[in-house]
Amino acid sequence: MEGGREVKLDYSREGSDIEIDHASSGGSTEAKEFNSMREPLLLRNRKNTTSQIAIVGANACPIESLDYEILENELFKQDWRTSKKVQIYQYVFLKWTFALLIGLGTGLVGLFNNLAVENIAGFKFLLTSSLMLEKNYYLAFAAYAGCNMILAIAAAVLCAYVAPAAAGSGIPEVKAYLNGVDAPSILAPTTLFVKIFGSIFGVSAGFVVGKEGPMVHTGACIASLLGQGGSRKYHLTWKWLRYFKNDRDRRDLVTCGAAAGVAAAFRAPVGGVLFALEEAVSWWRSALLWRTFFTTAVVAVVLRGFIGFCRTGKCGLFGEGGLIMFDVSSTKATYDTLDLLAVIFLGVVGGIFGSLYNYCIDKVVRTYSIINERGPSFKILLVIIISLLTSCCSYGLPWLAPCIPCPADLSELCPTEGRSGNYKNFQCPPNSYNDLASLFFNTNDDAIRNLLTPGTEKRFKLPTLLVFFFATYGLGIITYGIAIPSGLFIPVILAGASYGRLVGNLLVPLSSLDVSLFALLGAASFLGGTMRMTVSLCVILLELTNDLLMLPLMMLVLLVSKTVADSFNKGVYDQIVKLKGLPYMEAHAEPYMRNLVASDVVSGPLIAFSGVEKVGNILHTLKMTGHNGFPVIDEPPYTDAAELCGLVLRSHLLVLLKEKTFTKGRMMRRSGILSMFKAHDFAKAGSGKGVKLEDLNISEEEMEMYVDLHPISNTSPYTVIETMSLAKAAVLFRELGLRHLCVVPKTPGRPPIVGILTRHDFMPEHISGLYPHCKTHK
């Protein structure tokens, strides 16, 4: 292209062929003003500083963006014109059918997870308790720690060798995907498999982790697999599935899956919808609201039906545990001014501890990454160490607590028989119990239920609550980042509920609120301080507890804790997104972007194709660059002057070259291409199933032939003028869900395009590389 120069920032790394594409120009007058500043940067191969760094220490992976833009090329326009009404009905019917299937699938997986955890963990606790009743305390510890270690190793092996992307919560990856970031393997079938079974093994192993975060990732994986459009390998290529072979519809399905995951984890359908709206998605509309609500309603119906069945005793050890529902509605939520001050205090302390929690997780994960990067064996070794430490704490700390005589006139057994309850016998004599064992020697769900049990201020002593708070707080921090699926909701709820109950016990003489309500508000304050969500957390907790009277206090404590924590750092999911190097685009532009214009961050030269281009030129460009989008320029004699015809995608070029629709002379073949191809021939294939460059077999004779790019070029790409502020361009790029944003010149008589803005160009790391003195970080 006349007047254009090009540099390619190659980000390809081990085991992947995808990358962030970066194309821009240096032909504009404004860009030349900064030429001396940019030249040294263009002469060396700058590595991408925004590529994903896996939280469990996998090698850095290149990342590409998703194509959420609606393409308007001649093939797609022809498809729209020839669409019949029955095809529209098919599309609408399939959207609602997929929403139903996502709800059913996620609900059934949630039930399976809970059944498995309750039965596996229940067997472990019953075995240990029976050995302790026989006074075989050392053997009991060996059995307890051995069971935990076997389960932990199983989870670690799956994550280390089968699907490293399944480690961690999964919510940051889903959040980034819905923002337009497609990191490798985050929604793959192997990730789904490991997420389900790794979460079961990890939670059953006694780690201070939850299965709620992984359930969000699981729901998103189920939705993504349904939206892949079938499988040629397994002959599942139903014709109707072609409607969903695009990133826009898959994005909507993944949104439904994320909401369904929250609904299945907490049995909170409305909370799931609000979670997706507040925390997960970057684009929302009313039609998606209806489908998401329908999906979560299906999950709620599935859970309700099976819970009723399991309460008849036909689900093994599954009983009150799992599918956590904390009914504290039997207590009166009456409060006065002093109680409001206590709630504000809870919010302030919860915000401080929540921000400290996020800070510690950041440091721990960075440290673990150094260990995990040394290989799968080191990942497993780290998991074993944390498992042993957790077993020693949960088995050893209750020995420090004194035995307490059983209260008189109890409606339940004391000491408790079996694996759950408030009155664990542990090593105590008959008619007495160990209150710390009632929290440690249970599943995490049962421990939370015990903390939220109303009217039991004397069952848990102040030292017990203090020890349990610091233990769960510390174990929750050091456990996150190891190679197992690990949710953050449960550790935070455990620490918050124990802290809230501790404050409630101290304020019993002064407050009219029950200690269980203090525990609930403490959990809310910690959740607000770590995750920085308000509306969705409020509704989730209210759906969990069935106590609508707590709404004003819940709103107050969440607002206070979030406000306090925001003054220290970001939410935990935002921190993890940054830790992983996912190029997430915020809803707002940073202040420094107002001092730059679009042409300041595009780097030249630019690669462009003619409307009718030589096959050899296209093939050479595809081999030498990793660009995913190329401008198409029409030049004389086809037009009076050079003009921007559109933008052509790399994937579409590969399909066109594979079918070899070439001509010997430089002529347009629009009608021939339109009759040979259908729009769905260029639809996005499933993961890793598109046409690859190595699939092409072009002869020397064909290299000298020509191909018409007009029918597959997007004739209406989004463009901005080169003098537009970078802040305005960033908002436009994010709101429209773009992958490429063309920058056009302000003055006539120049090449029709200055450059292309991609996601990478808006990243602070890229801008600070261009302008070292620009303060891109707060």
Side-chain angles (χ1 to χ4, degrees):
M1 174 180 166
E2 183 181 352
R5 299 172 305 162
E6 196 276 346
V7 64
K8 178 72 186 84
L9 306 183
D10 187 7
Y11 309 127
S12 56
R13 298 281 184 92
E14 177 183 1
S16 179
D17 59 342
I18 58 176
E19 53 195 66
I20 298 178
D21 47 329
H22 181 82
S24 13
S25 90
S28 66
T29 304
E30 289 82 1
K32 289 178 180 177
E33 294 176 1
F34 299 102
N35 190 47
S36 60
M37 180 183 295
R38 296 184 183 183
E39 195 65 31
L41 295 173
L42 296 177
L43 292 176
R44 66 175 185 266
N45 183 25
R46 279 187 292 125
K47 295 297 181 182
N48 176 27
T49 56
T50 62
S51 60
Q52 181 191 30
I53 301 172
I55 204 164
V56 293
N59 291 327
C61 302
I63 301 166
E64 69 174 4
S65 296
L66 296 167
D67 295 303
Y68 290 153
E69 182 181 354
I70 297 177
L71 294 178
E72 288 188 343
N73 58 35
E74 294 183 27
L75 275 168
F76 281 84
K77 287 179 180 178
Q78 177 180 263
D79 187 60
W80 295 337
R81 287 192 296 266
T82 58
S83 295
K84 299 178 181 178
K85 187 172 290 187
V86 64
Q87 292 175 316
I88 298 174
Y89 289 147
Q90 288 174 354
Y91 174 62
V92 174
F93 172 76
L94 269 187
K95 285 199 296 186
W96 288 94
T97 302
F98 278 164
L100 173 66
L101 293 176
I102 292 168
L104 287 173
T106 308
L108 291 174
V109 169
L111 283 165
F112 173 72
N113 281 5
N114 282 279
L115 280 168
V117 168
E118 290 295 315
N119 282 280
I120 294 172
F123 170 79
K124 177 185 68 178
F125 285 125
L126 289 175
L127 173 63
T128 308
S129 298
S130 63
L131 290 172
M132 294 190 73
L133 288 174
E134 297 172 1
K135 309 299 183 183
N136 294 326
Y137 297 123
Y138 292 107
L139 184 59
F141 173 72
Y144 178 71
C147 290
N148 285 345
M149 188 178 298
I150 291 171
L151 293 168
I153 292 173
V157 167
L158 286 174
C159 282
Y161 289 101
V162 181
S169 169
I171 293 178
E173 288 87 345
V174 174
K175 183 176 179 178
Y177 180 90
L178 294 175
N179 187 259
V181 179
D182 189 16
S185 303
I186 60 173
L187 299 176
T190 52
T191 303
L192 173 62
F193 173 81
V194 174
K195 205 74 180 185
I196 294 173
F197 289 96
S199 178
I200 290 172
F201 295 145
V203 175
S204 301
F207 287 115
V208 184
V209 297
K211 51 186 178 294
E212 287 67 31
M215 272 305 303
V216 175
H217 197 177
T218 297
C221 288
I222 292 172
S224 177
L225 292 179
L226 285 174
Q228 290 294 314
S231 168
R232 294 180 181 177
K233 180 179 179 181
Y234 298 106
H235 305 288
L236 299 174
T237 53
W238 190 27
K239 186 178 180 181
W240 286 17
L241 294 175
R242 71 183 186 276
Y243 298 124
F244 294 89
K245 290 187 176 182
N246 62 84
D247 287 327
R248 290 176 63 87
D249 283 306
R250 290 179 188 172
R251 176 188 66 190
D252 291 349
L253 292 176
V254 170
T255 301
C256 292
V262 175
F266 293 107
R267 206 163 66 180
V270 179
V273 175
L274 293 175
F275 173 85
L277 172 61
E278 183 178 7
E279 182 64 18
V281 302
S282 297
W283 299 278
W284 192 262
R285 60 186 191 280
S286 58
L288 184 58
L289 174 67
W290 282 103
R291 261 187 292 153
T292 307
F293 185 69
F294 172 69
T295 305
T296 58
V298 172
V299 173
V301 171
V302 171
L303 296 182
R304 176 64 65 180
F306 277 88
I307 283 176
F309 173 77
C310 286
R311 282 179 178 165
T312 61
K314 298 179 180 179
C315 295
L317 295 171
F318 185 94
E320 293 298 323
L323 294 170
I324 47 181
M325 177 64 75
F326 318 124
D327 190 359
V328 296
S329 57
S330 58
T331 61
K332 286 189 175 182
T334 57
Y335 44 90
D336 52 26
T337 305
L338 184 61
D339 295 322
L340 291 178
L341 293 176
V343 170
I344 293 173
F345 173 76
L346 279 175
V348 171
V349 177
I352 294 172
F353 275 111
S355 59
L356 178 63
Y357 193 89
N358 293 357
Y359 174 82
C360 293
I361 279 184
D362 181 273
K363 299 303 179 185
V364 167
V365 168
R366 290 179 188 274
T367 304
Y368 285 173
S369 294
I370 299 172
I371 301 171
N372 291 334
E373 284 172 356
R374 303 188 67 177
S377 57
F378 284 88
K379 295 180 184 180
I380 297 171
L381 179 61
L382 181 59
V383 170
I384 292 173
I385 293 172
I386 301 300
S387 176
L388 280 174
L389 179 61
T390 304
S391 298
C392 290
C393 288
S394 56
Y395 187 88
L397 288 177
W399 289 86
L400 303 177
C403 294
I404 304 172
C406 290
D409 302 325
L410 282 177
S411 59
E412 55 184 303
L413 289 175
C414 180
T416 302
E417 293 181 0
R419 60 180 178 80
S420 62
N422 287 325
Y423 302 102
K424 283 286 186 178
N425 180 257
F426 206 62
Q427 87 291 5
C428 293
N431 298 321
S432 60
Y433 71 99
N434 186 316
D435 59 344
L436 191 53
S438 301
L439 299 176
F440 271 122
F441 229 57
N442 265 324
T443 59
N444 292 333
D445 291 351
D446 281 325
I448 295 174
R449 185 172 291 102
N450 292 342
L451 287 169
L452 296 183
T453 302
T456 56
E457 60 272 9
K458 295 182 180 179
R459 295 184 186 178
F460 298 105
K461 303 296 182 183
L462 293 180
T464 293
L465 294 171
L466 196 62
V467 169
F468 186 73
F469 166 71
F470 283 111
T472 53
Y473 193 89
L475 288 173
I477 290 171
I478 66 171
T479 303
Y480 196 83
I482 62 175
I484 62 168
S486 50
L488 283 168
F489 273 97
I490 291 301
V492 173
I493 292 176
L494 279 170
S498 56
Y499 156 73
R501 195 176 186 96
L502 177 65
V503 174
N505 283 351
L506 293 173
L507 296 180
V508 163
L510 304 175
S511 175
S512 57
L513 287 175
D514 189 87
V515 289
S516 62
L517 300 182
F518 273 104
L520 178 62
L521 292 171
S525 71
F526 266 49
L527 286 168
T530 54
M531 300 176 184
R532 314 297 162 82
M533 294 181 283
T534 52
V535 179
S536 56
L537 276 180
C538 185
V539 174
I540 288 172
L541 290 172
L542 291 176
E543 287 186 281
L544 275 178
T545 58
N546 284 333
D547 194 358
L548 193 59
L549 295 175
M550 290 295 294
L551 178 61
L553 297 181
M554 195 79 70
M555 294 171 66
L556 177 62
V557 76
L558 283 169
L559 286 171
V560 172
S561 63
K562 182 185 185 304
T563 303
V564 171
D566 280 340
S567 62
F568 294 101
N569 50 32
K570 291 186 176 182
V572 65
Y573 295 133
D574 293 324
Q575 283 192 346
I576 295 171
V577 165
K578 186 176 180 180
L579 267 175
K580 290 195 169 188
L582 298 169
Y584 185 88
M585 291 201 68
E586 300 288 348
H588 60 278
E590 298 296 339
Y592 66 84
M593 290 185 175
R594 298 189 181 95
N595 301 322
L596 300 170
V597 296
S599 61
D600 288 338
V601 297
V602 294
S603 306
L606 177 73
I607 288 182
F609 292 134
S610 299
V612 181
E613 186 61 78
K614 184 180 287 188
V615 173
N617 291 344
I618 298 176
L619 193 63
H620 176 74
T621 301
L622 294 179
K623 287 181 178 179
M624 298 303 295
T625 72
H627 293 42
N628 283 295
F630 302 89
V632 177
I633 309 295
D634 270 337
E635 298 173 334
Y638 300 105
T639 57
D640 295 334
E643 64 179 35
L644 178 63
C645 171
L647 192 76
V648 63
L649 296 180
R650 181 187 190 91
S651 59
H652 293 182
L653 286 172
L654 291 171
V655 173
L656 193 64
L657 292 179
K658 187 178 181 181
E659 295 301 323
K660 300 185 177 182
T661 55
F662 308 146
T663 57
K664 291 186 177 180
R666 191 166 187 173
M667 62 183 71
M668 290 191 285
R669 280 201 61 199
R670 298 191 182 188
S671 57
I673 292 177
L674 290 175
S675 62
M676 182 177 297
F677 291 100
K678 299 296 181 184
H680 60 81
D681 293 329
F682 294 90
K684 184 168 183 176
S687 302
K689 300 195 173 55
V691 179
K692 302 285 195 305
L693 188 62
E694 52 268 23
D695 297 335
L696 302 180
N697 185 18
I698 308 295
S699 65
E700 290 294 329
E701 182 182 355
E702 291 169 333
M703 296 280 277
E704 299 300 319
M705 300 176 75
Y706 292 86
V707 61
D708 186 6
L709 302 182
H710 290 94
I712 65 169
S713 298
N714 181 12
T715 56
S716 57
Y718 286 98
T719 60
V720 297
I721 199 163
E722 62 183 342
T723 55
M724 177 182 284
S725 71
L726 191 62
K728 191 174 181 180
V731 172
L732 178 68
F733 191 94
R734 202 259 193 187
E735 292 297 323
L736 294 175
L738 302 180
R739 184 175 187 177
H740 306 96
L741 182 59
C742 298
V743 181
V744 296
K746 183 178 179 63
T747 56
R750 294 165 52 194
I753 181 169
V754 173
I756 296 178
L757 289 172
T758 62
R759 179 176 295 266
H760 173 73
D761 297 302
F762 297 101
M763 293 298 107
E765 294 83 359
H766 171 67
I767 296 173
S768 62
L770 295 174
Y771 305 102
H773 302 294
C774 183
K775 295 182 179 179
T776 58
H777 298 282
K778 296 181 180 179

